[in-house]
Structure formats: C-alpha cells, structure tokens
Amino acid sequence: MDEIMPSSFAGATPVRVLNRDQKLLQWISSVDHKQIGTMYLLLSILFLVIGGGEALLMRTQLAIPNNHFLSPEAYNQIFTMHGTTMVFLVAMPAIFGFGNYMVPLMIGANDMAFPRLNAFSFWMTLFGGGLLYFSFLAGGAPDAGWFNYAPLNEYNYSSRPGVDYFAIGLLIAGIGSVGGAINFIVTILYYRAKGMKLNQVPLFVWMIFVDSFLILAAFPCLNAALAMIEMDRQFHAHFFNSASGGSALLWQHLFWLFGHPEVYVAMLPSFGIFSEVFQTFSRKPIFSYAIIASSSVAIALLSFGVWVHHMFAVGLGNTVNGFFGAASMLIAIPTGIKVFSWMATMYGGSIRFSIPMMFAIAFLIQFTFGGLTGVLFAIVPIDWQLTDTYFVVAHFHYMFVGGAVFGLFAGLFYWFPKITGKMLDQKLGTWFFWLFTIGFNTTFLIQHVLGLIGMPRRVWTYPDLPGYGVMNFISTLGAFMMGTAALILIVAILKSLRSGVVAGKDPWDGVTLEWYCDPQPGRKNFDKIPLVRSRRPFWDLKHPENPDWKNARS
Amino acid sequence: MNKMMIKMLVFTEVFFFLSLIMAYVYMVYYGDTRSAGEIKSLHISTTGFFTFILLSSSFTFYIAEKNYLKGNVKQLKIWLVITMILGAIFLFGQGNEYYHLIREQITLGASVFGTNFFTLTGFHGFHVFVGLVLLSILLTMSLLGDFNSNQSTVIQTVGIYWHFVDAVWIVVFTVVYVMPRFMDMKT
C-alpha cells in the first residue's frame, strides 16, 4: 500500500497552531478560511448523518410489501427532507468546505478575498439548514418533494407550514451559496501566487471557479421561484395557481432551470478532486489539462440548455422535447472526454492504490454506468416509459452518490492529513471503502430492475407483486451496509484525530501548493511562496533538476 | 477587486430579475384575459416622470464619482446628497402609485396582473432602497473623512450597483408600461 514519502522540506519551519484559548468563541467569530472550511465540512457531516438516517427510515418502510412502519404523511416528509438535505445541506457545504479550505492553499493565498463575506456565507447556510429542520417542531416538515412541485406546494394542498420553512430556509441558504461563489471567483482571479496564470491553477481550483459561475446563474432562478411561492402562500398571490390565471408549469421551468445546473454544481468539484487524485496517485501529470478544463466550461454552458428533460412527460410538444433531448445527449461528450482523460492519466503511471485512488477508480466505473442510463433518459420515449419509476431513483443516485459523493470521500481521505495533521486510519478506511461501495451498488443497481418492471417512486408502500418484495429487501440490505459504513467512517475519523499517524507536510508526495505550506498552517498560510512557473509548482521545487517549466510543451 | 465582486453580484441579480420578468411576460401578456383591462390603470406619464428622476440619479452619481476621482470631496458630498434625494423621490412615486392601485382594488392577491406587477416592481423598489442604504453609508464615510484621498474603490463599487438598478428599471418600465401599449393583447 502507500507509504509516507519524506519531503525534502519536512521540518523546515516550526508548526504554528491557532490560538485555542477562546475555544468556541474563536470558531464562532472566525473569518479564517481554514476554520470556516472546517465548519462547513462538520456541518456537511452532521447533515449527512441526518439525511442518511432518513434514507434508512425510508428503506426500512420499503423493506417488505404492505409495510406500516411509517405513515404515508411521515414518509412524504422524510423523502422530501432526505432529498433537500442531501442536495442543499450535505453536497453544497462539503463543496464549500473543501473549496474554502483548499482553494487559497492551492493558489498560494493567505485567505479568501472577502473573509467576512465568507463567514456570512457559512452562517447563512447553517441557519438556513436550521430553519428547514425547525419545521419538524413547527407543525410538520415540507412534504412536496425536494422539487416541491406546484400545485402541491400551494396552500390549498399543503396547508401546514412545512413548505414555508422549505422556501425561507432554502432562500437563506441560497444567499449564502451565492455569497460564497462570488468570493471564490474574486479570490481565484486576484489572489493567485506570483507567476501562476489562470491556466495553471490546479484543476480543483478551476472546477470551483466554473462551479461558482454556475451557482451565480442557477441559484437566482430558484430564489425567484421561492420568493414567488411565498407570495402565493402568504399573500394569496397567483403565480402558480392555474385556476386563477397563474401557471403551475412555471414552477417546473424555474425549478429545473436551477435544478439541472445544480446537478453539475454538485458534480464539478468532484471532477476537480478526482483530477488531483488521479495525477497524484498515478505519479504522472494530468492528461490533457486544457481539455479537462475547457470541457467543464462546455458542461456549464450546456447545463442551462437541458432542463426540459426533467419535463418530457409534461406534454410540451415533440419539437421542444426533441431539442432538449438532443441537447441532453450532447452533455455526454464533454463528460466522456473527462473519463478518457482520467483513464489516460492512469495509463502508464505508477499507480498507488491508496484509499482516495480506490474511490476514484470506483467512481470511474459507477459514473460511466450512471452516465449511460442518463443518455437513455435523453431519448424521449424511453423517458416516457421510465419517468417516475425507481429507474430514475437509481440513475440519479449513481450520479449523486456514485459520482459526487465518492469524489467528496476521495477528497476527505486525500486532504484529511492537511486539515488535521493526521492520516485517516488506513485499515478502517479500507473497510469503509469496500462496505460503502458494495452497499451502494447493492442498494441502487437492483432499483434499475425495479423501475423497469414498473415500481413507481415516491410511494410509501407497494403490493406484493412478483419480485417486488425480494428486490426491495435486497435494496434495503444494501442501504444498511452503507449506514454501517458511515458509522465506521465516523469511528475512523475520531480514532485518527486522537491517535492517528502523524502525517507530516506532504504525505502523498503531492505536486500542488497546498502540500508546500506548513502541515497545519496558522492564521497565515505562507511566509514565502515560490515563483510559480508551471502547473505543478511543488513538483518543480522538489525536482529542480527536472522541472515542468523546462520541458514544457503547453 | 471590490468592483469584480459587485460585477458578480450584478451577474447573479440579472438572472433573478430575468426570472421575474419572464413570469410577468408569460402570465400578463399571454395568460389572464383580465390583465389587458387592469394594465390601463397604470399612468405611463406619471411613472415616466419618476423614471426620468431615477435615471437622473445615475447621472448625478456619475458626477459625484468624477469629483471624487479629482479629489473634490466637497462636491462629492453634495452630489451624493442629490443622488439620494432623487432615489427617495422615485421611491415616493412608487409608493404613491401603489396607493392609487390598491384603492382601485388592484392588489397582490386580486389578480395575476397584481401578483406580477407588485412582485416585480416591489423587488426593484427593494433594490433601490438597498441602494439608498449604501449611498447613506458612503455619505457618512465621506463626512467622516474616509474619502479624503482618492485611493478607495468603494464609490465606484456602489456606483456599479446603482447604475445596474437603474438599468433594471429601464427594462421593467419597458416591459410593464410601454410594450403593452403597442401590443394587441387578448381582452
């Protein structure tokens, strides 16, 4: 397995730690990008446990036919909260957490451009999430799905305050996301180390950069829709009320105009993490940096032209469906290019199968599979056949979990030594990887079959039709394997924090600047920074006899 | 850097207002048949006057900014005050318009037109109000002597926002007040 490489710079500077006298107050009042990043990550883990618990409740209810473990009302609330939590309170904070912590380190900056805006963004996200969950105490959680379709979200159909908490909570969290995205863009544009050109930033930084533009363009559409639904619910406006001249369809357009780009918002940072992981653990430069970078711009632009593929069954007509079907298929091209680039990075490399790399390889397989079922959905008649079945559930979990979340786990194992100074426990980590991967595929692979034979999604129970019972039971078993794996991960984190192997400055033999600064940097990240002359500045430092910029071809 | 930040904010706000304007066009132009009648309650000349006031405030801000760059702090203060007064007059005009519409039973909950009209113009008015808050902060800072050297980018930063809010109003005014006059709306 992997070994900790001694770095030529180890022990050059003493470790400085943050002033810990103020304890909690120091965290609450912090404007330091590393502390805010850590808080984002902790928030993400907290909601991962909650959202995962909700998933286990759902799978318990669905384990056997005609089950009455949960009431239909409770089931509706739980599947709504599961989706909303996972997208807005797990994926987004995790992305912002890694981005906050790593972007300034990777570009050689001492902090984000606007530290107070950064703290503001974090607390908005936290309080938005808190408000969303307060709904459980205030008369019932939202129960109209994470997509919150009109007219289900209207007062007449959902008179409990759940949807109000959904709208206001997400509005507040959304303002936080927009603030964070603005901060990333300005930081990446103005705070790069001397000599680092925009086409030399690490690919993770590049992906966060593109991601931020996606957030800026997508979230206001959701925020406008959320403001409108609150007007409808509180002031009896008519935006989504078809009976009085409004349009329920408008909600779907605005929501998916946000919702589809949001899928890529969750995806792109993971692409970035994998690009770092593949090049570090294959001990080769990334294959075709320029094409990986530019294809993500293509994905970002295309993502605003495909939202109607969530609405093929609405009946917008063959012309519209055909256009958006074709546009959706186009997305497969830039993503396919990325998959080949990562494979080419591994080809001929001296691969170390450390845990981040294992996640990366599992991702390649799962992501390709999920991408193929995605292309199926771009074919309109297939979509008509499969829409609102478990096939859809299986598809987007392969993208969200098998794609995005595997990336976040790879990032966690890759950067844990940077964040905490300790290695994340190798043995427990291996257990976690295998249990989670097997559990994930057990849960969702079989749901493709369930969908094909016609099991609808969003139902709280089902009759004992041939095959339904046994396949659902297998799926539930897989879900509990993932739950166990999550427990192992938490144990691994706690154990590593207390008695993990001390990582040192550069445990993976990295090539980017975050491994150049102190093992656990203090308030100031860099006392001095090398002149950046290539895409692998730390490699250049470690190999003065063979730096990239001397044999540069691009 | 500050200017880039505010440009990104403007970028995201564009999509917010586009969503509201799309909803307005979709529902009021092509949706409810009552809208054509209700739209006649809008007084294009009165609002046109207040539109002129708001656009002038962009111009006065431009003069304020020029004076600041020349180091003329006294003129800066004067033109900032004038800009704020013009912005406040616009908001007064909007309040006056709302008052008359509500007296004619055109409210947020009364019809699709009311829903869209009050939401779209209301969100714009809110942005003008935020602009006034920003301007008053600038004025306070200039009174405290923070702008005695012309090295700060804060004034240009607020300026980008203020001009953007005016630009949004040009689009809103065109869509809400002007275009229906040239359209054959369903009645």
Side-chain angles (χ1 to χ4, degrees), chain A residues 319-352:
Chain A
T319 317
V320 173
N321 287 353
F323 174 84
F324 281 95
S328 307
M329 284 184 200
L330 282 181
I331 295 244
I333 297 171
T335 38
I337 287 172
K338 280 197 170 59
V339 169
F340 282 115
S341 299
W342 291 321
M343 278 162 37
T345 306
M346 287 199 292
Y347 181 78
S350 157
I351 296 175
R352 288 174 291 177

mmCIF file of all heavy atoms in Angstrom, chain A residues 319-352:
data_model
loop_
_atom_site.group_PDB
_atom_site.id
_atom_site.type_symbol
_atom_site.label_atom_id
_atom_site.label_comp_id
_atom_site.label_asym_id
_atom_site.label_seq_id
_atom_site.Cartn_x
_atom_site.Cartn_y
_atom_site.Cartn_z
ATOM 1 N N THR A 319 -41.361 19.044 -30.728
ATOM 2 C CA THR A 319 -40.234 19.907 -31.113
ATOM 3 C C THR A 319 -39.387 20.233 -29.897
ATOM 4 O O THR A 319 -38.169 20.069 -29.900
ATOM 5 C CB THR A 319 -40.767 21.213 -31.735
ATOM 6 O OG1 THR A 319 -41.838 20.878 -32.606
ATOM 7 C CG2 THR A 319 -39.687 21.923 -32.476
ATOM 8 N N VAL A 320 -40.077 20.695 -28.858
ATOM 9 C CA VAL A 320 -39.369 21.062 -27.628
ATOM 10 C C VAL A 320 -38.654 19.834 -27.060
ATOM 11 O O VAL A 320 -37.462 19.885 -26.732
ATOM 12 C CB VAL A 320 -40.364 21.653 -26.604
ATOM 13 C CG1 VAL A 320 -39.673 21.883 -25.267
ATOM 14 C CG2 VAL A 320 -40.955 22.937 -27.128
ATOM 15 N N ASN A 321 -39.375 18.737 -26.953
ATOM 16 C CA ASN A 321 -38.757 17.532 -26.393
ATOM 17 C C ASN A 321 -37.554 17.084 -27.210
ATOM 18 O O ASN A 321 -36.529 16.692 -26.655
ATOM 19 C CB ASN A 321 -39.785 16.398 -26.333
ATOM 20 C CG ASN A 321 -40.815 16.633 -25.232
ATOM 21 O OD1 ASN A 321 -40.676 17.560 -24.448
ATOM 22 N ND2 ASN A 321 -41.827 15.806 -25.198
ATOM 23 N N GLY A 322 -37.696 17.138 -28.552
ATOM 24 C CA GLY A 322 -36.599 16.702 -29.405
ATOM 25 C C GLY A 322 -35.363 17.575 -29.205
ATOM 26 O O GLY A 322 -34.240 17.072 -29.066
ATOM 27 N N PHE A 323 -35.584 18.894 -29.128
ATOM 28 C CA PHE A 323 -34.459 19.812 -28.945
ATOM 29 C C PHE A 323 -33.739 19.515 -27.639
ATOM 30 O O PHE A 323 -32.511 19.368 -27.602
ATOM 31 C CB PHE A 323 -34.968 21.262 -28.947
ATOM 32 C CG PHE A 323 -33.909 22.258 -28.629
ATOM 33 C CD1 PHE A 323 -33.058 22.728 -29.606
ATOM 34 C CD2 PHE A 323 -33.736 22.706 -27.319
ATOM 35 C CE1 PHE A 323 -32.059 23.632 -29.308
ATOM 36 C CE2 PHE A 323 -32.734 23.612 -27.017
ATOM 37 C CZ PHE A 323 -31.900 24.073 -28.013
ATOM 38 N N PHE A 324 -34.509 19.420 -26.557
ATOM 39 C CA PHE A 324 -33.858 19.243 -25.261
ATOM 40 C C PHE A 324 -33.286 17.831 -25.106
ATOM 41 O O PHE A 324 -32.313 17.627 -24.392
ATOM 42 C CB PHE A 324 -34.834 19.573 -24.132
ATOM 43 C CG PHE A 324 -34.979 21.057 -23.925
ATOM 44 C CD1 PHE A 324 -36.001 21.764 -24.530
ATOM 45 C CD2 PHE A 324 -34.071 21.736 -23.143
ATOM 46 C CE1 PHE A 324 -36.115 23.126 -24.350
ATOM 47 C CE2 PHE A 324 -34.182 23.104 -22.961
ATOM 48 C CZ PHE A 324 -35.206 23.801 -23.568
ATOM 49 N N GLY A 325 -33.885 16.854 -25.801
ATOM 50 C CA GLY A 325 -33.301 15.511 -25.795
ATOM 51 C C GLY A 325 -31.925 15.524 -26.444
ATOM 52 O O GLY A 325 -30.954 14.982 -25.901
ATOM 53 N N ALA A 326 -31.830 16.188 -27.603
ATOM 54 C CA ALA A 326 -30.542 16.257 -28.308
ATOM 55 C C ALA A 326 -29.515 17.000 -27.466
ATOM 56 O O ALA A 326 -28.363 16.566 -27.332
ATOM 57 C CB ALA A 326 -30.722 16.944 -29.660
ATOM 58 N N ALA A 327 -29.950 18.131 -26.857
ATOM 59 C CA ALA A 327 -29.022 18.907 -26.032
ATOM 60 C C ALA A 327 -28.516 18.065 -24.865
ATOM 61 O O ALA A 327 -27.335 18.121 -24.504
ATOM 62 C CB ALA A 327 -29.704 20.175 -25.527
ATOM 63 N N SER A 328 -29.418 17.259 -24.291
ATOM 64 C CA SER A 328 -29.010 16.437 -23.148
ATOM 65 C C SER A 328 -27.978 15.400 -23.547
ATOM 66 O O SER A 328 -27.066 15.088 -22.787
ATOM 67 C CB SER A 328 -30.226 15.747 -22.534
ATOM 68 O OG SER A 328 -31.221 16.697 -22.237
ATOM 69 N N MET A 329 -28.155 14.846 -24.764
ATOM 70 C CA MET A 329 -27.166 13.865 -25.214
ATOM 71 C C MET A 329 -25.795 14.504 -25.398
ATOM 72 O O MET A 329 -24.772 13.868 -25.162
ATOM 73 C CB MET A 329 -27.617 13.239 -26.529
ATOM 74 C CG MET A 329 -28.719 12.231 -26.339
ATOM 75 S SD MET A 329 -29.076 11.481 -27.912
ATOM 76 C CE MET A 329 -30.706 10.853 -27.587
ATOM 77 N N LEU A 330 -25.788 15.777 -25.808
ATOM 78 C CA LEU A 330 -24.513 16.463 -26.031
ATOM 79 C C LEU A 330 -23.660 16.473 -24.761
ATOM 80 O O LEU A 330 -22.434 16.445 -24.832
ATOM 81 C CB LEU A 330 -24.760 17.912 -26.471
ATOM 82 C CG LEU A 330 -25.154 18.145 -27.917
ATOM 83 C CD1 LEU A 330 -25.323 19.625 -28.173
ATOM 84 C CD2 LEU A 330 -24.073 17.586 -28.836
ATOM 85 N N ILE A 331 -24.322 16.525 -23.603
ATOM 86 C CA ILE A 331 -23.578 16.592 -22.341
ATOM 87 C C ILE A 331 -22.666 15.379 -22.192
ATOM 88 O O ILE A 331 -21.611 15.449 -21.563
ATOM 89 C CB ILE A 331 -24.563 16.663 -21.153
ATOM 90 C CG1 ILE A 331 -25.338 17.955 -21.220
ATOM 91 C CG2 ILE A 331 -23.837 16.494 -19.833
ATOM 92 C CD1 ILE A 331 -25.121 18.891 -20.093
ATOM 93 N N ALA A 332 -23.075 14.260 -22.791
ATOM 94 C CA ALA A 332 -22.262 13.049 -22.660
ATOM 95 C C ALA A 332 -20.883 13.239 -23.276
ATOM 96 O O ALA A 332 -19.928 12.570 -22.880
ATOM 97 C CB ALA A 332 -22.976 11.870 -23.301
ATOM 98 N N ILE A 333 -20.760 14.178 -24.229
ATOM 99 C CA ILE A 333 -19.466 14.322 -24.918
ATOM 100 C C ILE A 333 -18.400 14.916 -23.982
ATOM 101 O O ILE A 333 -17.374 14.272 -23.749
ATOM 102 C CB ILE A 333 -19.628 15.149 -26.214
ATOM 103 C CG1 ILE A 333 -20.554 14.391 -27.163
ATOM 104 C CG2 ILE A 333 -18.276 15.404 -26.866
ATOM 105 C CD1 ILE A 333 -20.968 15.179 -28.375
ATOM 106 N N PRO A 334 -18.629 16.123 -23.406
ATOM 107 C CA PRO A 334 -17.574 16.632 -22.508
ATOM 108 C C PRO A 334 -17.330 15.748 -21.281
ATOM 109 O O PRO A 334 -16.182 15.655 -20.823
ATOM 110 C CB PRO A 334 -18.088 18.019 -22.102
ATOM 111 C CG PRO A 334 -19.506 18.076 -22.489
ATOM 112 C CD PRO A 334 -19.692 17.117 -23.608
ATOM 113 N N THR A 335 -18.366 15.098 -20.761
ATOM 114 C CA THR A 335 -18.114 14.222 -19.614
ATOM 115 C C THR A 335 -17.349 12.984 -20.048
ATOM 116 O O THR A 335 -16.448 12.522 -19.346
ATOM 117 C CB THR A 335 -19.430 13.818 -18.928
ATOM 118 O OG1 THR A 335 -20.422 13.609 -19.912
ATOM 119 C CG2 THR A 335 -19.896 14.858 -17.955
ATOM 120 N N GLY A 336 -17.679 12.461 -21.230
ATOM 121 C CA GLY A 336 -16.942 11.303 -21.736
ATOM 122 C C GLY A 336 -15.469 11.620 -21.943
ATOM 123 O O GLY A 336 -14.585 10.834 -21.607
ATOM 124 N N ILE A 337 -15.209 12.825 -22.459
ATOM 125 C CA ILE A 337 -13.822 13.256 -22.671
ATOM 126 C C ILE A 337 -13.067 13.230 -21.348
ATOM 127 O O ILE A 337 -11.913 12.787 -21.260
ATOM 128 C CB ILE A 337 -13.804 14.668 -23.286
ATOM 129 C CG1 ILE A 337 -14.235 14.607 -24.753
ATOM 130 C CG2 ILE A 337 -12.421 15.288 -23.176
ATOM 131 C CD1 ILE A 337 -14.418 15.962 -25.379
ATOM 132 N N LYS A 338 -13.748 13.676 -20.290
ATOM 133 C CA LYS A 338 -13.099 13.696 -18.978
ATOM 134 C C LYS A 338 -12.743 12.277 -18.534
ATOM 135 O O LYS A 338 -11.640 12.024 -18.051
ATOM 136 C CB LYS A 338 -14.034 14.322 -17.947
ATOM 137 C CG LYS A 338 -14.052 15.812 -17.965
ATOM 138 C CD LYS A 338 -14.668 16.288 -16.660
ATOM 139 C CE LYS A 338 -14.498 17.762 -16.492
ATOM 140 N NZ LYS A 338 -15.106 18.541 -17.565
ATOM 141 N N VAL A 339 -13.691 11.360 -18.697
ATOM 142 C CA VAL A 339 -13.442 9.986 -18.260
ATOM 143 C C VAL A 339 -12.216 9.429 -18.986
ATOM 144 O O VAL A 339 -11.338 8.808 -18.381
ATOM 145 C CB VAL A 339 -14.689 9.114 -18.497
ATOM 146 C CG1 VAL A 339 -14.375 7.648 -18.296
ATOM 147 C CG2 VAL A 339 -15.814 9.546 -17.559
ATOM 148 N N PHE A 340 -12.140 9.689 -20.306
ATOM 149 C CA PHE A 340 -10.973 9.191 -21.053
ATOM 150 C C PHE A 340 -9.689 9.864 -20.586
ATOM 151 O O PHE A 340 -8.630 9.231 -20.520
ATOM 152 C CB PHE A 340 -11.186 9.394 -22.557
ATOM 153 C CG PHE A 340 -12.102 8.366 -23.153
ATOM 154 C CD1 PHE A 340 -13.331 8.717 -23.672
ATOM 155 C CD2 PHE A 340 -11.736 7.026 -23.158
ATOM 156 C CE1 PHE A 340 -14.178 7.758 -24.200
ATOM 157 C CE2 PHE A 340 -12.578 6.061 -23.678
ATOM 158 C CZ PHE A 340 -13.812 6.430 -24.200
ATOM 159 N N SER A 341 -9.771 11.164 -20.254
ATOM 160 C CA SER A 341 -8.564 11.851 -19.791
ATOM 161 C C SER A 341 -8.060 11.242 -18.492
ATOM 162 O O SER A 341 -6.852 11.078 -18.301
ATOM 163 C CB SER A 341 -8.859 13.327 -19.573
ATOM 164 O OG SER A 341 -9.251 13.917 -20.772
ATOM 165 N N TRP A 342 -8.979 10.895 -17.593
ATOM 166 C CA TRP A 342 -8.545 10.304 -16.329
ATOM 167 C C TRP A 342 -7.947 8.919 -16.560
ATOM 168 O O TRP A 342 -6.963 8.545 -15.944
ATOM 169 C CB TRP A 342 -9.715 10.223 -15.347
ATOM 170 C CG TRP A 342 -10.166 11.567 -14.864
ATOM 171 C CD1 TRP A 342 -9.355 12.607 -14.553
ATOM 172 C CD2 TRP A 342 -11.499 12.010 -14.660
ATOM 173 N NE1 TRP A 342 -10.121 13.680 -14.151
ATOM 174 C CE2 TRP A 342 -11.431 13.345 -14.204
ATOM 175 C CE3 TRP A 342 -12.761 11.421 -14.800
ATOM 176 C CZ2 TRP A 342 -12.569 14.090 -13.893
ATOM 177 C CZ3 TRP A 342 -13.886 12.159 -14.490
ATOM 178 C CH2 TRP A 342 -13.796 13.478 -14.050
ATOM 179 N N MET A 343 -8.565 8.168 -17.490
ATOM 180 C CA MET A 343 -8.011 6.850 -17.784
ATOM 181 C C MET A 343 -6.628 6.984 -18.389
ATOM 182 O O MET A 343 -5.704 6.236 -18.057
ATOM 183 C CB MET A 343 -8.951 6.075 -18.717
ATOM 184 C CG MET A 343 -10.081 5.433 -17.932
ATOM 185 S SD MET A 343 -11.530 4.925 -18.864
ATOM 186 C CE MET A 343 -10.927 4.330 -20.367
ATOM 187 N N ALA A 344 -6.456 7.970 -19.261
ATOM 188 C CA ALA A 344 -5.144 8.181 -19.874
ATOM 189 C C ALA A 344 -4.123 8.654 -18.851
ATOM 190 O O ALA A 344 -2.924 8.389 -18.999
ATOM 191 C CB ALA A 344 -5.267 9.212 -21.008
ATOM 192 N N THR A 345 -4.604 9.370 -17.799
ATOM 193 C CA THR A 345 -3.673 9.765 -16.746
ATOM 194 C C THR A 345 -3.143 8.532 -16.022
ATOM 195 O O THR A 345 -1.968 8.445 -15.675
ATOM 196 C CB THR A 345 -4.390 10.686 -15.735
ATOM 197 O OG1 THR A 345 -4.968 11.764 -16.446
ATOM 198 C CG2 THR A 345 -3.425 11.214 -14.695
ATOM 199 N N MET A 346 -4.023 7.554 -15.809
ATOM 200 C CA MET A 346 -3.592 6.331 -15.120
ATOM 201 C C MET A 346 -2.685 5.488 -16.005
ATOM 202 O O MET A 346 -1.787 4.811 -15.529
ATOM 203 C CB MET A 346 -4.820 5.496 -14.723
ATOM 204 C CG MET A 346 -5.604 6.081 -13.576
ATOM 205 S SD MET A 346 -6.661 4.870 -12.813
ATOM 206 C CE MET A 346 -7.846 4.554 -14.071
ATOM 207 N N TYR A 347 -2.921 5.548 -17.335
ATOM 208 C CA TYR A 347 -2.216 4.672 -18.261
ATOM 209 C C TYR A 347 -0.709 4.930 -18.206
ATOM 210 O O TYR A 347 -0.257 6.060 -18.379
ATOM 211 C CB TYR A 347 -2.737 4.907 -19.684
ATOM 212 C CG TYR A 347 -2.085 4.029 -20.723
ATOM 213 C CD1 TYR A 347 -2.468 2.706 -20.872
ATOM 214 C CD2 TYR A 347 -1.091 4.531 -21.554
ATOM 215 C CE1 TYR A 347 -1.883 1.910 -21.810
ATOM 216 C CE2 TYR A 347 -0.490 3.745 -22.504
ATOM 217 C CZ TYR A 347 -0.893 2.414 -22.624
ATOM 218 O OH TYR A 347 -0.296 1.621 -23.562
ATOM 219 N N GLY A 348 0.047 3.887 -17.929
ATOM 220 C CA GLY A 348 1.496 4.038 -17.882
ATOM 221 C C GLY A 348 1.997 4.694 -16.618
ATOM 222 O O GLY A 348 3.201 4.887 -16.456
ATOM 223 N N GLY A 349 1.090 5.031 -15.705
ATOM 224 C CA GLY A 349 1.526 5.637 -14.463
ATOM 225 C C GLY A 349 1.926 4.584 -13.452
ATOM 226 O O GLY A 349 1.651 3.392 -13.618
ATOM 227 N N SER A 350 2.599 5.046 -12.411
ATOM 228 C CA SER A 350 2.990 4.127 -11.348
ATOM 229 C C SER A 350 1.966 4.290 -10.223
ATOM 230 O O SER A 350 2.100 5.123 -9.346
ATOM 231 C CB SER A 350 4.402 4.490 -10.897
ATOM 232 O OG SER A 350 4.631 4.035 -9.617
ATOM 233 N N ILE A 351 0.901 3.478 -10.306
ATOM 234 C CA ILE A 351 -0.304 3.743 -9.517
ATOM 235 C C ILE A 351 -0.142 3.238 -8.089
ATOM 236 O O ILE A 351 0.323 2.130 -7.851
ATOM 237 C CB ILE A 351 -1.526 3.088 -10.186
ATOM 238 C CG1 ILE A 351 -1.762 3.731 -11.553
ATOM 239 C CG2 ILE A 351 -2.762 3.238 -9.309
ATOM 240 C CD1 ILE A 351 -2.856 3.091 -12.357
ATOM 241 N N ARG A 352 -0.527 4.088 -7.116
ATOM 242 C CA ARG A 352 -0.616 3.661 -5.716
ATOM 243 C C ARG A 352 -2.080 3.495 -5.369
ATOM 244 O O ARG A 352 -2.857 4.432 -5.502
ATOM 245 C CB ARG A 352 -0.012 4.725 -4.803
ATOM 246 C CG ARG A 352 1.484 4.830 -4.870
ATOM 247 C CD ARG A 352 1.948 5.985 -4.047
ATOM 248 N NE ARG A 352 1.561 7.248 -4.652
ATOM 249 C CZ ARG A 352 1.794 8.434 -4.090
ATOM 250 N NH1 ARG A 352 2.368 8.516 -2.914
ATOM 251 N NH2 ARG A 352 1.428 9.530 -4.689
#
